Amino acid sequence: MLLGNLSESALKMHNFISFLLALHLDAVKKFDEVKYFDTAPELLGRKYNRPKKTTLETTVAVTGPVTGKAAKKLAKQRLAGYKEIGQRMERLEKMQKVSNEMQLKRHLLGKGRRVKVKGADKTTTVYRWRKERKR
């Protein structure tokens, strides 16, 4: 038996881990989704936009699945949002590239010997400064 070779402290640890595992499994069995998310049982199937009970009490009604023109309009708005995020990410990449080029130009104006390094990426030039001894 595997447990026969363990020391007393190891056995205590094994018992403790077994106890924790039993507690965890028990908690999983007793997990109540309605209570945890604080929402109506009919809305548990939603992955997002799951209103709480207080919101359901204060608002007039929760609309069900959207169909027809409204669904097309929502899909168009969602697509426009994703497109805007994509454009912002492209702009951020361009801005970072320009910033890096300006910083490189500033470093090139400074003192010190430099050597152009041949890299895999041929679009950007990489420099390496030689270490010079300070006297």
Side-chain angles (χ1 to χ4, degrees), residues 61-113:
V62 175
T63 58
V66 182
T67 57
K69 289 183 181 180
K72 288 181 182 179
K73 183 178 177 183
L74 287 174
K76 189 175 181 180
Q77 288 176 348
R78 188 180 308 123
L79 187 64
Y82 286 137
K83 188 175 179 180
E84 181 183 352
I85 289 172
Q87 290 173 347
R88 286 176 182 247
M89 290 173 65
E90 288 175 11
R91 183 170 181 259
L92 178 65
E93 289 174 9
K94 288 179 184 177
M95 295 290 283
Q96 287 176 341
K97 187 175 180 181
V98 170
S99 173
N100 290 339
E101 288 175 3
M102 290 174 63
Q103 187 177 8
L104 178 64
K105 285 182 182 180
R106 250 182 280 141
H107 287 301
L108 288 173
L109 290 174
K111 294 183 180 180
R113 291 174 133 190

Side-chain angles (χ1 to χ4, degrees), residues 111-129:
K111 294 183 180 180
R113 291 174 133 190
R114 54 198 165 268
V115 178
K116 203 183 259 192
V117 177
K118 293 183 180 178
D121 188 16
K122 295 184 180 187
T123 59
T124 58
T125 310
V126 180
Y127 292 92
R128 181 176 53 98
W129 273 259

